[in-house]
Amino acid sequence: MSDSPPAPAKKRAPQLPSASNFIRTAIEADLASGKYAGRTWGGRPGPAKTHLGAPQDPARIRTRFPPEPNGYLHIGHAKSICLNFGLAQDYGGVCHMRFDDTNPEKEEQEYVNSILEAVKWLGFDWGEHLCHASDYFDFMYEAAEHLIHSGHAYVDQQTAEEMRVNRGTLAEPGRDSPWRNRPPEESLRLMREMRDGEHAEGSMVLRARIDMASPNINLRDPVIYRIRKATHHRTGDKWCIYPMYTYAHPIEDALENITHSLCTLEFEDQRPFYDWLLERLAEGGLLLRPLPQQIEFARLNLTYVVLSKRRLIQLVEEGHVEGWDDPRMPTLVGARRRGYTPEGFRLFAERIGVSKADSWIEYSVLEDCMREHLNETAQRRIAVLDPIRLVIDNYPADKEEECLAPNHPQKPELGRRVVPLSRELWIERDDFMENPPKGYFRLFPGNSVRLRYGYVVKCTGCEKDAQGNLVAVHCEYDPQTRSGTPGAEKVKVKGNIHWVSAKHAYAAEVRLYDRLFKVANPGNERYFLEDLNRESKKIVTAQLEPVLKEARPEERFQFERHGYFVADLRDSKPQRPVFNRAVSLRDSWSATAPRK
Ligand code: ATP
Ligand code: MG
């Protein structure tokens, strides 16, 4: 902690229009050429299958955010959400919220609810466009029969092992399945039997018939349907065959009239199949042109966290954290409880931009975005996190005064509040030193400091218990120096410390959260759990200024000289809020600021 008050907030740059990038360039070119003008709704010909409403779509872009409801959203998803919904907003388009629920075994309503909540929390609205992959199972099946008819798909009865071996490698072409050239009628009969539950799981699959010698392994007759005798959370037991994600996704996009289907780079090698499939269905008259286009961008990699679902689940299930919404978790529910803000996330997404190249973003970039937003919006309050008593010996025991503290130093319109002063105060333990080093300007015997918003006091000594532990600091005040009165500045002091009146203070639980991992790249050199920061949560009983007792859950404050804090969403009770530290005032992890 420094001796001087926090530096005044940096002037925020004026809100610039969003920086251009290759996705915006593509969208602008498509809008300029009128590619999507006058498109018919529903993606397919004939009397419009208008599950989405209006018959005509003006020249608008349509994006979608397509999570699989098998986990809680994390900070990486926030990037994708801000990108998809943000582009739709900027170009007057629409973004669909779509659950990719093609896998019957994994989806859970708990995840669905939490995903919707997170997207809303980030400030986005899908309007009437809440979609599910399972809404299109009928069409997907119809399309599969069409592919069989037209010689573009066949039922394969090889074992999984045979299929694996015959797929070939990057260096070697694959080998045709013995079933590849079976007559379409035979595949059709088997496909219908599969649908009707007449075959065992794993006994056969439907494969696209493309090219077993393609250098792109994804085009070597990918599986598009498999048997799964499982109950689906939306379609129940209607189906016992389910489409593969790579088959379902392009169809979902086309049926929803998505114009730009944005996904992360690992899908780049899938794009030829995406295009192949939609072309086959369009030429067969099942889909209308123009078809959606897939555009890939680099996923977010963030230092000091893990963003893989598998690892996040492990952190929760093995009890390394206290649940999905533990404020240290990189989930959006966790970040919310931590006191991070939607505006901070949107600023972050804007700042990191999108690119085609994988890269790592420093966690401090996210923290800076949170600081920036919180600095503007959070009211200031006083909190003593590591309290020691300060006794003003010449202040009458029964006297009380009301000091005035501004709620926001840059926003006088937010007014001031009363902070009571009395003879005994709480101050930070490290604001006193009996034998200070050179350059220490806070309390030590003989030195004077200003009690912020109050008086100048001169330290006269301290009190210790039998073991030599400090129990109180003593001082005397100069009644002529009260802040805001004419003589206040007559005594010049270098130190300026915060305090809370002991008899008025609200003693509260405050959680000092730190980064969950102690290295930038967890799991890189050791098993990732060995990189956990075991000191990522510290609980203190802090002494807070009395008005903080009224704080409502999710209300955020700057605790002066400490950082930004939020009244915990879950554990706060009326008149008994507990607080979580969102982020300290400065980065204590950077190279120039060694760990405390
Ligand atoms: P899994 O691989 O376990 O399915 P996922 O992270 O891909 O996990 P999804 O629910 O499929 O999870 O993701 C939904 C959307 O969020 C996808 O479009 C995906 O590309 C995007 N997304 C996921 N992780 C990131 C990330 N780290 N950065 C940017 N976008 C991401
Ligand atoms: Mg995924």
Side-chain angles (χ1 to χ4, degrees):
M1 196 181 294
S2 88
D3 289 306
S4 48
K10 270 181 264 155
K11 274 252 173 334
R12 202 171 158 191
Q15 200 67 50
L16 298 168
S18 300
S20 193
N21 57 50
F22 66 98
I23 300 179
R24 288 179 175 272
T25 306
I27 289 174
E28 284 162 20
D30 291 339
L31 289 175
S33 72
K35 182 170 174 187
Y36 297 104
R39 226 177 159 205
T40 305
W41 277 83
R44 50 186 313 199
K49 275 238 172 170
T50 58
H51 88 280
L52 296 171
Q56 287 291 313
D57 196 12
R60 288 206 281 178
I61 65 151
R62 239 163 235 276
T63 54
R64 85 286 171 268
F65 172 63
E68 208 177 327
N70 63 354
Y72 283 80
L73 297 185
H74 55 61
I75 300 172
H77 294 116
K79 172 177 178 172
S80 178
I81 294 168
C82 292
L83 179 65
N84 281 294
F85 281 94
L87 287 170
Q89 256 172 15
D90 286 358
Y91 290 98
V94 176
C95 180
H96 292 194
M97 175 71 224
R98 182 205 302 151
F99 286 106
D100 237 313
D101 57 353
T102 45
N103 189 345
E105 280 132 3
K106 284 208 194 137
E107 288 83 21
E108 280 182 40
Q109 198 58 37
E110 179 194 349
Y111 295 133
V112 169
N113 296 343
S114 121
I115 289 170
L116 293 176
E117 188 70 20
V119 175
K120 272 192 249 168
W121 180 71
L122 282 176
F124 297 109
D125 181 10
W126 51 88
E128 57 188 330
H129 307 296
L130 177 61
C131 312
H132 297 82
S134 54
D135 295 342
Y136 318 120
F137 281 172
D138 285 329
F139 180 89
M140 288 173 192
Y141 180 80
E142 193 187 315
E145 285 209 351
H146 168 80
L147 291 175
I148 298 173
H149 268 304
S150 52
H152 294 304
Y154 61 97
V155 170
D156 193 358
Q157 285 170 273
Q158 292 182 101
T159 63
E161 179 58 15
E162 285 164 344
M163 276 180 58
R164 193 188 60 74
V165 170
N166 288 336
R167 187 171 296 123
T169 62
L170 283 176
E172 262 178 73
R175 274 190 301 273
D176 285 3
S177 160
W179 312 104
R180 194 171 197 267
N181 293 320
R182 75 188 336 163
E185 303 72 50
E186 195 176 304
S187 282
L188 200 56
R189 175 178 55 78
L190 289 168
M191 181 70 182
R192 290 180 178 164
E193 289 171 8
M194 277 165 64
R195 178 198 59 192
D196 296 339
E198 291 171 26
H199 297 286
E201 278 189 23
S203 62
M204 53 187 75
V205 293
L206 184 69
R207 294 179 77 175
R209 192 166 180 280
I210 309 178
D211 179 5
M212 286 306 290
S214 172
N216 182 344
I217 294 186
N218 298 297
L219 293 181
R220 294 185 189 168
D221 293 9
V223 174
I224 59 180
Y225 257 98
R226 72 220 150 112
I227 303 172
R228 260 293 177 282
K229 299 196 170 163
T231 304
H232 186 280
H233 78 138
R234 295 188 80 241
T235 57
D237 292 323
K238 177 172 177 192
W239 298 94
C240 60
I241 52 172
Y242 289 94
M244 302 301 285
Y245 175 83
T246 46
Y247 171 77
H249 200 86
I251 294 180
E252 295 153 23
D253 285 344
L255 291 179
E256 291 177 15
N257 268 336
I258 299 304
T259 55
H260 301 84
S261 176
L262 311 177
C263 63
T264 41
L265 281 180
E266 66 271 22
F267 290 98
E268 193 165 15
D269 291 345
Q270 289 288 352
R271 182 160 23 103
F273 178 67
Y274 185 102
D275 292 339
W276 178 92
L277 175 63
L278 296 186
E279 280 299 326
R280 297 294 81 72
L281 298 180
E283 74 193 15
L286 277 81
L287 292 176
L288 284 179
R289 295 177 198 278
L291 297 166
Q293 56 181 313
Q294 174 179 308
I295 302 178
E296 308 86 17
F297 65 94
R299 70 195 296 115
L300 172 67
N301 297 308
L302 196 59
T303 59
Y304 293 99
V305 296
V306 292
L307 293 180
S308 118
K309 266 181 202 160
R310 193 171 42 80
R311 287 178 167 181
L312 294 177
I313 287 173
Q314 197 178 340
L315 288 172
V316 173
E317 286 185 349
E318 294 178 6
H320 302 289
V321 292
E322 291 153 31
W324 287 102
D325 65 350
D326 185 303
R328 292 164 295 178
M329 284 286 274
T331 51
L332 295 180
V333 279
R336 179 174 179 175
R337 263 189 84 193
R338 177 77 174 257
Y340 285 13
T341 67
E343 293 86 347
F345 275 113
R346 298 204 298 265
L347 183 63
F348 175 66
E350 188 67 40
R351 199 160 282 172
I352 61 175
V354 282
S355 81
K356 271 279 186 196
D358 257 322
S359 67
W360 283 80
I361 302 291
E362 286 292 332
Y363 196 79
S364 60
V365 175
L366 177 64
E367 289 179 321
D368 279 341
C369 292
M370 296 304 160
R371 283 190 190 101
E372 204 165 311
H373 177 242
L374 288 166
N375 179 44
E376 276 195 20
T377 53
Q379 292 209 4
R380 276 39 173 178
R381 294 289 183 267
I382 303 168
V384 177
L385 300 183
D386 185 10
I388 186 84
R389 210 168 266 271
L390 176 73
V391 184
I392 312 174
D393 290 306
N394 63 339
Y395 196 94
D398 52 357
K399 181 172 166 158
E400 282 182 30
E401 281 178 78
E402 294 186 338
C403 299
L404 287 174
N407 286 323
H408 196 296
Q410 285 94 38
K411 295 187 178 175
E413 67 276 15
L414 293 179
R416 294 187 294 179
R417 66 193 186 285
V418 167
V419 180
L421 175 79
S422 64
R423 187 170 188 267
E424 294 203 5
L425 311 177
W426 293 112
I427 62 168
E428 297 293 344
R429 189 173 294 271
D430 70 1
D431 279 344
F432 170 78
M433 282 184 98
E434 207 171 1
N435 300 301
K438 204 164 168 289
Y440 183 86
F441 299 123
R442 290 169 275 168
L443 285 171
F444 56 87
N447 193 44
S448 295
V449 301
R450 174 168 294 283
L451 298 176
R452 194 175 265 190
Y453 316 122
Y455 293 95
V456 170
V457 294
K458 181 172 189 170
C459 180
T460 54
C462 64
E463 238 177 277
K464 292 182 181 171
D465 64 12
Q467 285 77 46
N469 301 313
L470 184 68
V471 291
V473 178
H474 286 265
C475 68
E476 289 184 349
Y477 85 119
D478 178 345
Q480 306 303 312
T481 56
R482 185 173 161 159
S483 288
T485 62
E489 301 306 320
K490 99 178 147 61
V491 183
K492 294 272 177 251
V493 291
K494 284 191 172 160
N496 184 327
I497 67 171
H498 66 273
W499 51 274
V500 174
S501 163
K503 73 172 165 200
H504 300 95
Y506 163 48
E509 176 176 323
V510 174
R511 293 89 170 251
L512 303 176
Y513 290 111
D514 205 338
R515 294 183 183 178
L516 184 55
F517 290 92
K518 55 182 187 249
V519 300
N521 200 343
N524 195 36
E525 284 172 19
R526 296 168 283 278
Y527 187 51
F528 83 106
L529 290 176
E530 289 173 40
D531 288 328
L532 273 175
N533 175 11
R534 301 281 165 194
E535 286 156 35
S536 57
K537 178 181 183 181
K538 189 173 151 207
I539 301 180
V540 298
T541 302
Q543 298 290 346
L544 311 181
E545 66 165 283
V547 293
L548 282 169
K549 208 171 178 172
E550 316 294 329
R552 294 179 311 277
E554 288 219 276
E555 220 179 330
R556 304 179 185 99
F557 302 97
Q558 183 194 93
F559 288 177
E560 291 191 18
R561 298 172 73 209
H562 286 301
Y564 298 95
F565 289 73
V566 65
D568 189 82
L569 185 58
R570 189 202 277 215
D571 301 331
S572 295
K573 307 254 172 355
Q575 299 284 308
R576 303 268 344 138
V578 303
F579 292 88
N580 300 332
R581 179 167 70 195
V583 59
S584 56
L585 283 183
R586 289 177 197 77
D587 182 11
S588 57
W589 284 76
S590 71
T592 49
R595 288 287 292 132
K596 280 184 287 206

